[in-house]
Amino acid sequence: MQTIDNFNFAGQKAFVRVDFNVPLNENLEITDDTRIRAALPTLKKIIADGGSLIIASHMGRPKKNPDMKYSLKSILPHVADLLGTVVQFAPDCAGEDAATMVANLKAGEVLLLENLRFYAEEEGKPRGEFATDEEKAAAKKEIKESQKAFTAKLASYATCYVNDAFGTAHRAHASTALIAKYFDENNKMFGYLMEKEVIAVQKVMTDTARPFTAIMGGSKVSSKIEIIENLLTKVDNLIIAGGMTYTFTKALGGKIGNSICEDDKLELALELLDKAKKNNVAIVLAEDAKIADAFSNDAHTQFVNVNEIPDNWQGLDIGPITEKKFAEVIKNSKTILWNGPTGVFEFDNFTSGSCAVGDAIVEATKNGAFSLVGGGDSVACVNKFGIADKVSYVSTGGGALLEAIEGRILPGIEAIRGY
Ligand code: AMP
């Protein structure tokens, strides 16, 4: 498989799919440029080699072409600043102008294409309302056809293809997956960011050092079932934390007061426990909880056994006994995956459990464990606690990472690597 480090971009025109879907405020100013910064090593390598760089991304979910709220022109000055060079802009990613600008792009020059999703062909889904199912089916067929032409057009700009957009790797879109077939295996590769993400997932899911502990937190079992089911075939220990705790506790006959609970998932919780036993996976559940008399940072609190929560009280974090229990398991692990907080970490009075888990992961990492943190709120957690650089890897891909740990093949990865 081709790698970006081994590839000399001199004299090449590189089409680089990045994820510049950054948050903007109402004045269309960038409020967090992490995603742009994450792609810089790849972009800079191509420029330094003397390649011509074509940068392509989506932003937001535009419903028409163009929808200036989602124009990549808003981020153009900042991209140029970060790259330290002039960046040209093609105001229509698949228009005549773009083709001319690409053709005239010299060695070391950079061109940013307008938002790929201004074309429905990027996602390959028809837009608008349809009166009948037949009309919808016809529109779907039509867009699949025009998607081929759109993809071929994008591919025609370049002599090589680099995918550095892990955040969209779970989508089989024109620029994230379909385009790859226009390049032979020596001329398509992951960017540095994508490479790091793929290696991190591999270290956790396939080349696993044992014991392997996953900490699954967050609010609901229902949004994590597929991940839990897949993890039950991989991990040695599965720590169940966060709001999910109470569905499991209730299923086991405990009293959970007003704690968050999915009553339609009680049976499923028992099935998961049973499956864990069959697979020799140790399920680690909370023993005590920090409970509150309201869903508020200022509520009255107390610590109780997790299965003895009084009426009108709710569990908003784990208690100190559980913190110790979880930390012990984590510190004895060689591979750690953390997804989801142990409690309502947005309230300062209920961060202690998540913080304890974070600290234990940092200690295990210091002692040689590989730790991957990812998927939504756990990233916010490690940032809040200032430990992002003390774990092995913090994933940039929310949905993509979750699908990878569900055991799914990601189209953006498959398109480059094959399986
Ligand atoms: P998720 O997006 O599923 O990872 O869930 C993250 C959310 O779960 C965060 O906003 C937490 O505040 C919430 N959460 C964690 N523990 C609890 C709990 N015990 N009760 C209610 N919400 C919780």
Side-chain angles (χ1 to χ4, degrees):
M1 202 180 100
Q2 185 57 269
T3 65
I4 182 162
D5 251 345
N6 285 338
F7 197 84
N8 184 355
F9 289 90
Q12 300 276 347
K13 286 208 162 93
F15 183 100
V16 186
R17 177 55 157 102
V18 293
D19 180 1
F20 282 0
N21 182 26
V22 289
L24 303 177
N25 64 18
E26 61 278 11
N27 300 321
L28 303 181
E29 293 156 345
I30 301 169
T31 55
D32 179 355
D33 67 355
T34 310
R35 286 178 173 161
I36 302 178
R37 287 179 187 276
L40 290 179
T42 294
L43 305 180
K44 286 187 170 169
K45 146 88 174 161
I46 295 168
I47 300 170
D49 273 4
S52 305
L53 173 60
I54 305 154
I55 306 174
S57 179
H58 74 284
M59 183 185 277
R61 297 180 181 276
K63 296 275 177 282
K64 56 179 186 189
N65 182 15
D67 184 344
M68 294 320 279
K69 198 166 62 179
Y70 299 113
S71 173
L72 288 179
K73 196 153 194 191
S74 308
I75 68 165
L76 179 68
H78 194 57
V79 173
D81 269 359
L82 290 175
L83 283 175
T85 189
V86 174
V87 177
Q88 302 171 39
F89 186 68
D92 176 347
C93 67
E96 276 307 308
D97 284 357
T100 311
M101 291 177 94
V102 164
N104 293 333
L105 206 61
K106 298 196 187 62
E109 289 186 346
V110 185
L111 174 70
L112 175 65
L113 299 177
E114 180 56 290
N115 194 342
L116 296 161
R117 286 196 192 162
F118 280 1
Y119 283 86
E121 282 80 2
E122 164 64 359
E123 294 178 90
K125 275 192 261 162
R127 288 186 182 147
E129 302 292 318
F130 300 97
T132 62
D133 286 351
E134 288 73 29
E135 264 182 37
K136 193 170 180 187
K140 265 191 189 162
K141 207 169 153 204
E142 200 176 305
I143 198 138
K144 287 290 169 205
E145 278 310 308
S146 57
Q147 187 181 43
K148 284 182 195 152
F150 176 77
T151 312
K153 178 82 166 266
L154 298 180
S156 73
Y157 296 162
T159 54
C160 59
Y161 169 68
V162 181
N163 188 348
D164 214 17
F166 184 69
T168 48
H170 55 317
R171 308 281 184 221
H173 293 169
S175 70
T176 61
L178 307 183
I179 192 173
K181 76 164 193 284
Y182 291 88
F183 299 88
D184 71 41
E185 58 184 327
N186 295 318
N187 293 309
K188 59 183 165 194
M189 67 213 87
F190 297 137
Y192 288 117
L193 172 67
M194 189 84 163
E195 227 171 51
K196 278 196 287 185
E197 297 275 359
V198 170
I199 290 170
V201 169
Q202 211 162 298
K203 275 195 167 170
V204 168
M205 302 305 286
T206 39
D207 310 331
T208 323
R210 294 196 177 272
F212 173 15
T213 297
I215 306 115
M216 296 301 299
S219 52
K220 291 179 171 174
V221 186
S222 52
S223 61
K224 308 266 162 113
I225 296 168
E226 284 167 40
I227 300 175
I228 294 177
E229 286 198 320
N230 191 41
L231 287 176
L232 286 178
T233 66
K234 311 259 181 208
V235 299
D236 301 292
N237 307 300
L238 179 62
I239 295 179
I240 302 273
M244 277 191 282
T245 306
Y246 307 99
T247 301
F248 280 89
T249 306
K250 185 166 178 183
L252 290 168
K255 275 186 66 204
I256 60 163
N258 274 352
S259 305
I260 185 171
C261 179
E262 290 167 284
D263 282 321
D264 58 336
K265 295 287 176 289
L266 297 175
E267 217 162 284
L268 176 78
L270 293 178
E271 278 166 29
L272 290 172
L273 292 175
D274 199 42
K275 189 168 174 191
K277 209 183 251 167
K278 285 191 185 121
N279 292 1
N280 274 329
V281 172
I283 296 270
V284 188
L285 289 165
E287 282 181 22
D288 59 342
K290 184 169 187 180
I291 61 170
D293 60 359
F295 187 81
S296 155
N297 189 46
D298 305 320
H300 296 106
T301 63
Q302 55 175 313
F303 294 108
V304 295
N305 287 337
V306 74
N307 52 5
E308 291 172 1
I309 299 177
D311 292 346
N312 301 320
W313 288 71
Q314 55 190 304
L316 294 188
D317 198 7
I318 53 175
I321 298 167
T322 307
E323 282 182 14
K324 269 210 192 107
K325 179 179 173 185
F326 286 1
E328 214 42 51
V329 175
I330 292 167
K331 285 183 204 164
N332 286 318
S333 305
K334 284 280 168 267
T335 302
I336 300 159
L337 170 69
W338 185 19
N339 171 260
T342 66
V344 185
F345 78 106
E346 298 92 335
F347 296 158
D348 284 343
N349 289 332
F350 302 94
T351 55
S352 176
S354 302
C355 203
V357 163
D359 287 345
I361 295 175
V362 169
E363 198 175 323
T365 310
K366 263 193 215 142
N367 291 331
F370 182 82
S371 52
L372 169 61
V373 179
D377 280 327
S378 10
V379 178
C381 253
V382 291
N383 287 333
K384 181 166 179 163
F385 305 146
I387 56 168
D389 57 349
K390 297 190 179 81
V391 299
S392 307
Y393 195 69
V394 180
S395 176
T396 59
L401 179 78
L402 295 184
E403 288 203 14
I405 53 185
E406 276 169 17
R408 292 178 200 233
I409 289 172
L410 307 188
I413 294 176
E414 187 184 23
I416 301 266
R417 186 162 69 179
Y419 276 89

